[in-house]
Amino acid sequence: MLFVGWEGVGLCSYLLIGFWFNDKANADAGKKAFIVNRIGDFGLLVAMFLLAANLGTLDFVGVSAAASQLGFASVLVTTICLFMFLGCAGKSAQIPLYIWLPDAMAGPTPVSALIHAATMVTAGVYLIARSSALFSMSPAASLTVAVVGAVTAIFAATIGLKQWDIKKVLAYSTVSQLGYMFVGVGVGAYTAGMFHLVTHAFFKALLFLGSGSVIFALHRAYHATHRDDDAQDMRNMGGMRKFMPLTWGLMWIATLAIAGIPPFAGFFSKDEILGSVFLRARESTLAESHWLGIPGSTVLYAIYAIGLAAALLTAIYMTRMMLYTFHGPNRTGEDERKHLAEAPWVMTGPLVLLGIGSALGGWLNLPHFAHMLGPDELLGRWLEPVVGESQLRVTLGRVPEAPGNTELFLIGSAVAIAVIGILIAAFVLRPARLVPKREAPAEEGLERVLLNKYYVDEAYDRAIVQPTVSISRGILWRGIDQGIIDSMFVNGSAALAKGIGASLQSGQVGTYAWVLVVGVLAILGAFTLR
């Protein structure tokens, strides 16, 4: 049933990304998402086949009950988990299958908020948490999940530093935050990963819909003045706080939440993930194992450091987005400013609800030290029947707890990193220096590399797409289809029939007579010899 839904949302994603099918770029973006997700789905299918062949069931409860038959850290359970993670990497846009999600921004903004930020793209995180009985038995596969998540988080965050399309900034932010979730479930902190999944749904949906309101306002202004400037480029924005104060306030709530500033939702979930990584580096099945010959504890400490670096970059690029969009002078145009205004309530109403979730969503799973604020670990207790045993297996049967000073250090480090990132962006970036897109100079050096996303799409095109097209055109089409099938079998058999017919159907009675005689003799000879 999960796989049926998995494919269903993939179909919806494909259809909605390519909604403007007359636009080649949008149609290609839809096809790209469809093909990349099929690569991931191949891995999930292989994992399902292996489970069915070895355990005789695909039911989650049945798999959890029989998982011990596969053997702890065995080759079989690791293979199953890695193939399953391939499916998760495709659906949840992790390296190397992340390339489809930024292009998915071609779809309508509500689609970006609902499907490509809050639901479909988090399905891979859900699948790993739901299959925690398997992943907790394979330290190698779990470390792989965590490493890929960490690398994806930092890689996508660096790209987000230099994007000008407001939706592309949020797209790479989504890829980065998905990496955080995979770090959580990868280190066996399944509750923490799911917690960040929930809080991320609040603030990222708010950011996407808020950006949609800004785009709507600019598009309406450009339409009124008959200009065709890019309504999604932040260089054409600036000073939008004056015209859209409600959207500005709500998007700052979401920005502080994703940056990890207390008491907003993202602080609690991100801090829980980073703290879990640090504690599991000291004592867990992961710390005692090896990943590609590297001690697991070393890998986990490196993941923790990468997580802090990604948190710093998140605070920087999100503050950059807010400064360039809402602060400084307005760059939309003098005539266009007269038409800038808040979006209708049908658009801003959902922003208010998501703003409440972004501000208070952390109360869903308050850590124990914050029990004075309300009931602690509500989500953790709710998920206990599903992931509790698996989490204890990873932590060697003990509930990991940090000493008081260590816990304060971890929390203080996470908050300090977020604050430093915001301050760096506030002091270094100068919105007043920006010029509209049509007047902006071309980027050079590292800025150009980041703007072009490290040229990964171009590398894929040269290494995979173009060779595939060349082989298809040169060998499969011209060589096999035209050269062999058409020339030899289709046209060849037609030419043979035509030649035989022309030689026999000459219209000469004498020829027909000797052919008839030869045929009769051949038949008689056959019967005689038998």
Side-chain angles (χ1 to χ4, degrees):
M1 290 302 297
L2 179 139
F3 187 74
V4 171
W6 189 275
E7 295 300 297
V9 292
L11 174 62
C12 293
S13 173
Y14 161 72
L15 295 173
L16 289 166
I17 294 170
F19 177 77
W20 303 108
F21 56 87
N22 287 326
D23 186 333
K24 186 177 185 301
N26 292 342
D28 288 346
K31 289 186 289 186
K32 186 177 184 180
F34 189 84
I35 293 170
V36 173
N37 272 273
R38 298 295 75 73
I39 296 172
D41 293 348
F42 164 77
L44 180 54
L45 277 173
V46 172
M48 291 168 62
F49 293 152
L50 290 173
L51 285 173
N54 290 276
L55 299 182
T57 180
L58 289 176
D59 180 80
F60 279 119
V61 176
V63 169
S64 298
S68 58
Q69 300 176 19
L70 300 175
F72 185 82
S74 66
V75 173
L76 179 57
V77 71
T78 300
T79 301
I80 292 173
C81 290
L82 290 177
F83 271 114
M84 191 176 291
F85 178 55
L86 176 60
C88 298
K91 187 66 68 180
S92 297
Q94 298 296 284
I95 289 176
L97 302 179
Y98 74 95
I99 53 172
W100 70 270
L101 185 54
D103 288 355
M105 299 304 106
T109 303
V111 176
S112 300
L114 182 61
I115 294 182
H116 299 135
T119 55
M120 184 191 88
V121 294
T122 57
V125 181
Y126 166 82
L127 179 58
I128 291 181
R130 195 64 181 86
S131 305
S132 58
L134 296 172
F135 282 87
S136 64
M137 294 182 60
S138 176
S142 294
L143 285 172
T144 301
V145 173
V147 168
V148 171
V151 173
T152 301
I154 191 72
F155 181 79
T158 59
I159 297 177
L161 290 171
K162 197 53 187 175
Q163 298 303 304
W164 291 112
D165 186 318
I166 188 171
K167 287 184 69 179
K168 286 292 179 70
V169 175
L170 297 177
Y172 281 103
S173 171
T174 300
V175 175
S176 182
Q177 295 304 307
L178 286 167
Y180 262 108
M181 298 177 207
F182 277 105
V183 168
V185 295
V187 300
Y190 305 108
T191 299
M194 291 299 294
F195 185 26
H196 198 54
L197 184 156
V198 174
T199 60
H200 177 265
F202 287 129
F203 55 71
K204 186 53 63 67
L206 171 53
L207 289 166
F208 267 121
L209 290 180
S211 71
S213 291
V214 175
I215 294 168
F216 173 81
L218 262 71
H219 189 272
R220 182 172 55 185
Y222 286 139
H223 181 74
T225 58
H226 306 289
R227 282 177 58 181
D228 60 353
D229 283 19
D230 190 348
Q232 296 186 194
D233 197 296
M234 294 186 294
R235 290 169 292 189
N236 293 333
M237 299 176 186
M240 296 299 291
R241 170 188 178 184
K242 176 182 177 182
F243 309 101
M244 308 182 73
L246 178 61
T247 302
W248 166 77
L250 291 170
M251 287 189 70
W252 260 117
I253 291 175
T255 297
L256 294 175
I258 193 174
I261 299 296
F264 300 102
F267 160 72
F268 294 100
S269 56
K270 188 178 290 187
D271 178 72
E272 188 170 340
I273 289 176
L274 291 174
S276 298
V277 175
F278 188 86
L279 294 178
R280 280 159 176 74
R282 306 172 72 180
E283 192 174 24
S284 67
T285 57
L286 305 180
E288 295 177 353
S289 63
H290 288 74
W291 187 78
L292 300 180
I294 306 172
S297 58
T298 303
V299 173
L300 290 171
Y301 281 125
I303 291 173
Y304 176 75
I306 293 173
L308 287 178
L312 175 68
L313 296 180
T314 299
I316 293 174
Y317 69 68
M318 288 304 302
T319 305
R320 170 183 178 268
M321 184 196 80
M322 293 299 296
L323 292 177
Y324 285 165
T325 302
F326 291 99
H327 298 265
N330 181 259
R331 299 174 294 276
T332 305
E334 185 174 348
D335 294 334
E336 287 72 23
R337 274 182 221 117
K338 304 173 185 177
H339 304 279
L340 291 174
E342 199 74 73
W345 269 102
V346 70
M347 298 176 68
T348 55
L351 301 185
V352 175
L353 298 177
L354 290 168
I356 295 172
S358 299
L360 304 178
W363 265 252
L364 290 172
N365 200 58
L366 288 172
H368 184 67
F369 72 84
H371 64 277
M372 71 290 296
L373 300 177
D376 61 325
E377 299 182 351
L378 288 175
L379 183 63
R381 286 197 290 271
W382 187 64
L383 292 176
E384 174 72 22
V386 178
V387 303
E389 183 179 344
S390 300
Q391 289 185 148
L392 288 175
R393 182 181 293 122
V394 173
T395 58
L396 302 174
R398 291 182 288 273
V399 178
E401 293 184 1
N405 293 336
T406 302
E407 188 170 35
L408 291 175
F409 167 78
L410 295 175
I411 296 171
S413 299
V415 176
I417 284 291
V419 172
I420 291 171
I422 293 174
L423 292 177
I424 289 175
F427 283 104
V428 173
L429 302 177
R430 293 290 182 265
R433 297 178 183 173
L434 277 185
V435 295
K437 178 183 178 181
R438 62 181 179 276
E439 303 173 16
E443 281 78 5
E444 299 294 339
L446 180 60
E447 291 184 347
R448 185 176 180 180
V449 174
L450 294 178
L451 180 64
N452 288 283
K453 302 156 289 189
Y454 294 105
Y455 298 98
V456 172
D457 284 315
E458 290 79 0
Y460 273 122
D461 186 68
R462 291 185 179 182
I464 299 175
V465 177
Q466 292 306 320
T468 301
V469 171
S470 299
I471 292 173
S472 299
R473 180 180 289 122
I475 298 177
L476 300 179
W477 174 37
R478 291 177 179 155
I480 297 177
D481 192 15
Q482 289 187 330
I484 297 177
I485 297 176
D486 282 351
S487 299
M488 185 179 298
F489 294 106
V490 179
N491 298 331
S493 59
L496 179 62
K498 181 180 179 181
I500 294 174
S503 63
L504 296 180
Q505 303 296 327
S506 62
Q508 298 180 5
V509 177
T511 301
Y512 295 161
W514 72 257
V515 169
L516 176 62
V517 171
V518 170
V520 170
L521 292 176
I523 294 173
L524 292 175
F527 280 102
T528 302
L529 293 174
R530 190 177 64 173

